Amino acid sequence: MSDQQRLERIEQTLDKLSDVVVQQARMQEQLVTLFKRMERYDRDQGLLARKHEQEQALLTEKVVLLERLSIGRGIFFRALDKAIWLIAGCLVAAAATLLDRPP
């Protein structure tokens, strides 16, 4: 084998190695980009999760407030219902008493 052929083989091997190094560099850049995207996605998901937790806490507070308001209104209307029936009963009793009197 001549020196010229050896040099050509060495050059071909170096060219192949050069191509492999370039491919590895590209892959590494793609991985770095992918990891950055993943970090950004994770960060955004964390922010979104915290936002949802805050919204859920606010909704829970509103539900508790509505429950208290509903209970208060229930008590009021229950008492009002009893009062109306009491007044209606008194009016019926008074009417019956007045109608039952002899002239």
Side-chain angles (χ1 to χ4, degrees), residues 12-13 25 32 34 40-41 48 55 60 68 75 81 90 97:
Q12 288 176 351
T13 305
V32 167
L34 179 65
R40 194 173 339 126
Y41 176 80
L48 189 61
E55 290 174 352
T60 302
R68 288 180 186 159
I75 292 171
D81 186 49
C90 289
T97 303

Side-chain angles (χ1 to χ4, degrees), residues 3 19 30 43 49 58 72 90:
D3 287 340
D19 290 341
Q30 290 174 350
R43 185 189 68 232
L58 180 63
C90 289

Side-chain angles (χ1 to χ4, degrees), residues 74-88:
I75 292 171
F76 171 76
F77 284 114
R78 193 175 314 127
L80 181 65
D81 186 49
K82 286 181 182 180
I84 289 173
W85 281 110
L86 181 65
I87 291 170

Side-chain angles (χ1 to χ4, degrees), residues 23 33 52:
Q23 287 177 349
T33 302
H52 287 308

Side-chain angles (χ1 to χ4, degrees), residues 13-98:
T13 305
L14 286 176
D15 287 341
K16 289 179 184 178
L17 285 174
S18 172
D19 290 341
V20 168
V21 168
V22 168
Q23 287 177 349
Q24 282 185 333
R26 286 182 186 155
M27 288 177 62
Q28 190 174 15
E29 287 176 7
Q30 290 174 350
L31 286 173
V32 167
T33 302
L34 179 65
F35 286 136
K36 285 181 182 179
R37 283 183 189 167
M38 288 172 56
E39 287 174 2
R40 194 173 339 126
Y41 176 80
D42 288 343
R43 185 189 68 232
D44 292 346
Q45 289 300 312
L47 293 173
L48 189 61
R50 282 191 291 277
K51 181 181 176 187
H52 287 308
E53 288 173 1
Q54 291 171 349
E55 290 174 352
Q56 186 176 7
L58 180 63
L59 287 174
T60 302
E61 289 176 18
K62 287 182 179 182
V63 167
V64 168
L65 180 64
L66 286 173
E67 285 177 344
R68 288 180 186 159
L69 183 64
S70 176
I71 290 169
R73 285 185 180 170
I75 292 171
F76 171 76
F77 284 114
R78 193 175 314 127
L80 181 65
D81 186 49
K82 286 181 182 180
I84 289 173
W85 281 110
L86 181 65
I87 291 170
C90 289
L91 289 174
V92 168
T97 303
L98 289 175

